[in-house]
Amino acid sequence: MSNMQKPPNQQPNDPNGNKPPSPPRIPMNWIIIGLLAIFGFLFISRIPSIMNDSLGTGGAEVAYSFFRKQVEAGNVTTVVMDGLVVRGEFRTAVRYPEAGSSQALQTTPVVTSRFSATLPPVEDRDLMPLLAEKGVTVIATDPSPSPLFVLLLNWGPLILIGALLLWSFNRARQQQSGIFGFGQTKARQYNEEHPQVTFQDVAGEDSAKEELTEMVDFLKDPDKYIRLGARIPRGVLLVGPPGTGKTLLARAVAGEAKVPFFSLSASEFVEMFVGVGASRVRDLFTRAKAAAPAIVFIDEIDAVGRQRGAGLGGGNDEREQTLNQLLVEMDGFDQRETVIIMAATNRPDVLDPALLRPGRFDRQVTVDLPDRAGREAILKVHTRDIPLSRDVDLSLLAASTIGFSGADLENLANEGALSAARNKRDKVTMRDFQLALDRIILGSERPPLSNEHERRVVAYHEAGHALVSLLESEADPVVKVTIVPRGRALGVTQSAPSDDRRNYSKEYLMARLFVLMGGRSAEELVFNQITTGAENDLRVATGLARNMVSQWGMNEEVGPVNYGDYDRQPFLGYSLAQPRQYSDATAALIDRETKRLVEQAHQHARQLLRDNRDKLDALANELLEVEVVDQARVYEIAGIPLNDPSPMNKV
């Protein structure tokens, strides 16, 4: 599958999703900062300008009597009067206080040419005539502040408090509107102005595309169906494993029909506030009807659509309210309303039956894992922008990636490109894809084992798996055996089916059990001891044997009966709330037959290895020497002809 970049969110203010431009708003905090700056500037600017004048800086504070004496002596040139403060400059620098005066004993004398003095509170009527007589230049300033300064000084604090209150009120209103805005849907709307996904961008799902073509035709020409009395399915449920391209198919339907596409996840309906989910459902359908014809896509719908009343306590009440509202909205569509609801899930078994009845999600489209031809088509989509070397064979890659989803194949193409970049190549080679396959299937390579005994145990363990797989005709062919630690495993025996397989016989499943028990059996046979290395093998073997007994009817004692219907229900306490469909004796029988199958596989694998001990030793010694043994060499050691090499071995 091809993933397209999601365009930015669209607002639903008009049919095209374009939001009209709103006038710019100045944040309230910047307004408050501006008022503070103006108030501070005006306050500072009212410091008497004489402080910045050259005549009023650097002078000594002298007594008024000394100032008057200097005026009478004609030693003052200029004075500046600012209220009761007089500042000025002497014609000749003087020593103050004078020697022999009483102040000289208390103050350190200085020589200064500038002075400042304070006028007495009683007006000296002879001072101004004396200054005029001695030719002193008199400069008078207005000591009273400006009216604007007085206004700001008096009302400035109140203005600031009012601005703070207004700002707090706006913040509270925004928060309150945010709370009430929870009821609005968070669906993202895409329209035809943005790059569209079409069916050409979807590969490997031809059957699903054929079913969805009818949806496209209905959205393009709904009157053709309505005229004949036909009713198009109101809801289409896309069902399939993760990564198969369900979301991509839904967007492709919208792209082909060229209609608005509303997309959201089901988990976005539910919040901590009761009733929010139901409100968002109503808002979503209101928007969709206004933009009709349109498609509403709900991803992972099982988040709100799970069966009601399941588990202990009855489930989540808010989730069930959301589901009820969704059911009501889907049931309330007018026959002429061209709105199609599409949803995706990989757990259709947990959905509420009311959601799947005719009239709601009455059509299910299976989006399954792609086959070989589909995988090749998907690889072509994901490698069209990647420079490929001539040795790259996409058909061979498709054959070697059985069971891969579209997302897995996209990851394979990306890992191949990363491998080429790490090795400083201009093009991606087949070797890069081989390394990418190993990294995805086997895990990242880790440092080799340093303990020699542990290496021998791992070598015989993996040789046991491989040899049993070779000797069992129903088992999958071995591709590679390695004792280089990868991922969480100390060693890996890689097997792959030769072709796509969806139906498994009892013989094939028994062969898998034999192979799974081959590693544990080899350890017992060679070292006469058991280790923890078979933990995963035992877990997988036990689960497989239990399914054979309880679900697939492959056991003679239990018979062709299914006892595992409720084991897969994911609800807390669901199995406790449901009556068990079989007795304690049947449960004991299932446990006994499961153990018997695993033990039978264990004994069979051990006997098989005992009869072929020379081949087991040869394969283990080869692993200890080279650490990685390919398919051809494995078959050669086992003495088995390799008629049809696995495609993965050709990569």
Side-chain angles (χ1 to χ4, degrees):
M1 300 296 167
S2 173
N3 288 337
M4 302 291 290
Q5 183 179 3
K6 292 185 177 180
N9 296 350
Q10 294 293 321
Q11 300 295 333
N13 297 67
D14 58 33
N16 295 326
N18 298 321
K19 184 178 180 179
S22 57
R25 299 178 60 186
I26 302 177
M28 183 59 66
N29 54 345
W30 286 107
I31 295 178
I32 295 175
I33 293 175
L35 290 174
L36 287 173
I38 294 174
F39 181 73
F41 173 76
L42 291 176
F43 182 79
I44 295 175
S45 66
R46 284 313 303 159
I47 297 177
S49 60
I50 197 65
M51 296 296 294
N52 296 324
D53 195 297
S54 60
L55 294 178
T57 59
E61 181 74 23
V62 301
Y64 175 73
S65 58
F66 182 82
F67 157 67
R68 174 130 184 172
K69 180 179 179 181
Q70 295 298 321
V71 173
E72 292 174 351
N75 195 29
V76 177
T77 59
T78 305
V79 295
V80 176
M81 292 187 173
D82 185 8
L84 296 179
V85 178
V86 179
R87 295 178 177 84
E89 185 174 0
F90 295 123
R91 193 180 304 276
T92 303
V94 298
R95 180 184 178 86
Y96 180 82
E98 296 174 312
S101 65
S102 59
Q103 291 183 351
L105 300 176
Q106 303 174 0
T107 306
T108 303
V110 295
V111 177
T112 179
S113 60
R114 295 175 183 176
F115 68 91
S116 64
T118 302
L119 298 176
V122 179
E123 182 181 0
D124 186 355
R125 299 181 181 273
D126 297 331
L127 178 60
M128 293 304 298
L130 180 62
L131 293 173
E133 179 184 351
K134 299 299 181 179
V136 178
T137 302
V138 179
I139 301 174
T141 61
D142 186 6
S144 61
S146 65
L148 178 62
F149 176 75
V150 174
L151 178 65
L152 287 178
L153 187 63
N154 293 332
W155 295 96
L158 294 178
I159 294 175
L160 289 177
I161 293 174
L164 286 172
L165 291 175
L166 180 62
W167 178 68
S168 301
F169 174 76
N170 287 336
R171 285 290 300 273
R173 186 177 62 181
Q174 291 175 5
Q175 293 177 359
Q176 187 179 27
S177 64
I179 293 176
F180 291 111
F182 280 174
Q184 298 178 358
T185 179
K186 295 183 179 181
R188 296 162 291 280
Q189 179 180 352
Y190 308 105
N191 52 38
E192 54 184 295
E193 294 182 359
H194 293 85
Q196 294 291 318
V197 180
T198 64
F199 283 152
Q200 293 182 352
D201 301 305
V202 183
E205 297 294 344
D206 295 336
S207 60
K209 288 194 291 187
E210 289 178 3
E211 290 195 55
L212 294 175
T213 301
E214 187 179 8
M215 306 292 106
V216 176
D217 192 34
F218 171 76
L219 290 171
K220 287 182 176 180
D221 188 12
D223 293 335
K224 179 176 68 174
Y225 295 86
I226 298 174
R227 185 170 57 251
L228 297 176
R231 179 181 62 82
I232 203 72
R234 296 176 179 175
V236 180
L237 183 64
L238 302 176
V239 180
T244 50
K246 299 182 288 295
T247 303
L248 190 67
L249 275 170
R251 291 186 59 187
V253 172
E256 290 286 341
K258 294 182 172 56
V259 297
F261 179 75
F262 297 87
S263 174
L264 79 164
S265 173
S267 61
E268 297 180 28
F269 282 124
V270 182
E271 293 282 355
M272 61 180 292
F273 298 100
V274 176
V276 170
S279 176
R280 287 181 177 176
V281 171
R282 289 190 295 269
D283 186 60
L284 171 63
F285 280 83
T286 300
R287 287 178 55 185
K289 293 174 184 177
I295 292 177
V296 175
F297 177 68
I298 304 174
D299 199 9
E300 303 294 347
I301 194 172
D302 48 278
V304 296
R306 286 182 293 179
Q307 185 173 344
R308 291 168 290 183
L312 299 176
N316 186 303
D317 186 63
E318 169 62 10
R319 181 185 59 79
E320 292 188 1
Q321 287 187 27
T322 305
L323 175 58
N324 291 336
Q325 186 64 42
L326 180 62
L327 296 175
V328 170
E329 292 291 343
M330 292 187 67
D331 212 26
F333 275 175
D334 189 281
Q335 289 289 0
R336 303 188 61 87
E337 288 178 349
T338 52
V339 176
I340 292 180
I341 308 301
M342 300 185 70
T345 181
N346 51 21
R347 294 302 308 271
D349 55 311
V350 306
L351 295 180
D352 194 274
L355 202 60
L356 303 178
R357 74 159 176 82
R360 288 175 180 144
F361 283 111
D362 45 7
R363 176 171 294 187
Q364 294 188 23
V365 177
T366 301
V367 187
D368 208 348
L369 294 174
D371 56 11
R372 179 171 180 172
R375 292 193 298 272
E376 184 176 355
I378 294 172
L379 285 171
K380 288 180 180 179
V381 171
H382 289 302
T383 57
R384 58 189 175 190
D385 296 328
I386 297 177
L388 300 178
S389 176
R390 291 186 177 181
D391 67 335
V392 175
D393 188 347
L394 294 182
S395 63
L396 192 58
L397 278 175
S400 61
T401 52
I402 296 174
F404 275 42
S405 66
D408 295 329
L409 294 171
E410 180 187 14
N411 187 36
L412 173 63
N414 183 61
E415 287 290 345
L418 292 176
S419 175
R422 282 193 300 267
N423 292 280
K424 300 180 180 179
R425 283 191 279 267
D426 296 332
K427 295 183 178 181
V428 182
T429 65
M430 205 65 171
R431 174 61 179 167
D432 294 317
F433 284 114
Q434 174 63 61
L435 295 175
L437 268 175
D438 290 344
R439 188 182 187 90
I440 294 172
I441 297 175
L442 306 180
S444 301
E445 188 173 316
R446 295 191 286 123
L449 300 174
S450 57
N451 186 288
E452 187 60 30
H453 177 72
E454 193 173 49
R455 289 182 76 248
R456 282 177 51 81
V457 172
V458 174
Y460 272 98
H461 183 102
E462 299 305 329
H465 283 309
L467 190 57
V468 173
S469 182
L470 294 174
L471 297 175
E472 288 292 333
S473 59
E474 294 292 332
D476 292 329
V478 175
V479 176
K480 180 189 301 182
V481 186
T482 176
I483 60 171
V484 177
R486 282 184 170 273
R488 299 177 60 185
L490 298 178
V492 178
T493 299
Q494 183 181 359
S495 301
S498 56
D499 200 357
D500 293 295
R501 180 180 292 181
R502 293 178 174 84
N503 196 21
Y504 303 100
S505 65
K506 180 180 178 181
E507 291 73 21
Y508 172 77
L509 297 176
M510 287 300 301
R512 285 196 61 188
L513 283 178
F514 298 155
V515 174
L516 287 168
M517 300 305 298
R520 169 72 171 263
S521 301
E523 291 182 24
E524 293 178 344
L525 180 63
V526 176
F527 301 99
N528 196 26
Q529 65 177 10
I530 56 177
T531 67
T532 60
E535 176 188 1
N536 185 66
D537 299 333
L538 297 177
R539 181 185 300 113
V540 175
T542 304
L544 178 59
R546 179 171 292 276
N547 288 337
M548 292 175 64
V549 172
S550 63
Q551 296 188 33
W552 300 331
M554 294 182 177
N555 181 264
E556 293 78 5
E557 295 294 330
V558 176
V561 184
N562 186 293
Y563 293 115
D565 288 343
Y566 301 106
D567 292 343
R568 295 173 294 171
Q569 296 291 349
F571 307 118
L572 176 63
Y574 185 85
S575 58
L576 299 178
Q578 299 295 323
R580 195 169 64 178
Q581 303 298 316
Y582 50 91
S583 64
D584 292 339
T586 302
L589 178 61
I590 292 174
D591 292 340
R592 185 168 59 252
E593 289 302 308
T594 299
K595 180 180 179 181
R596 188 184 65 81
L597 275 181
V598 175
E599 185 59 34
Q600 177 184 343
H602 180 205
Q603 296 300 330
H604 179 82
R606 186 168 183 174
Q607 184 61 42
L608 204 61
L609 294 175
R610 182 182 291 110
D611 296 340
N612 296 271
R613 176 62 187 270
D614 56 336
K615 298 176 182 179
L616 177 65
D617 293 335
L619 184 53
N621 291 331
E622 184 78 7
L623 283 170
L624 290 171
E625 182 178 351
V626 299
E627 292 189 339
V628 179
V629 183
D630 60 14
Q631 185 181 41
R633 180 58 177 159
V634 170
Y635 276 80
E636 180 184 350
I637 294 174
I640 300 175
L642 181 60
N643 298 324
D644 186 17
S646 171
M648 295 189 68
N649 196 256
K650 300 177 183 178
V651 176

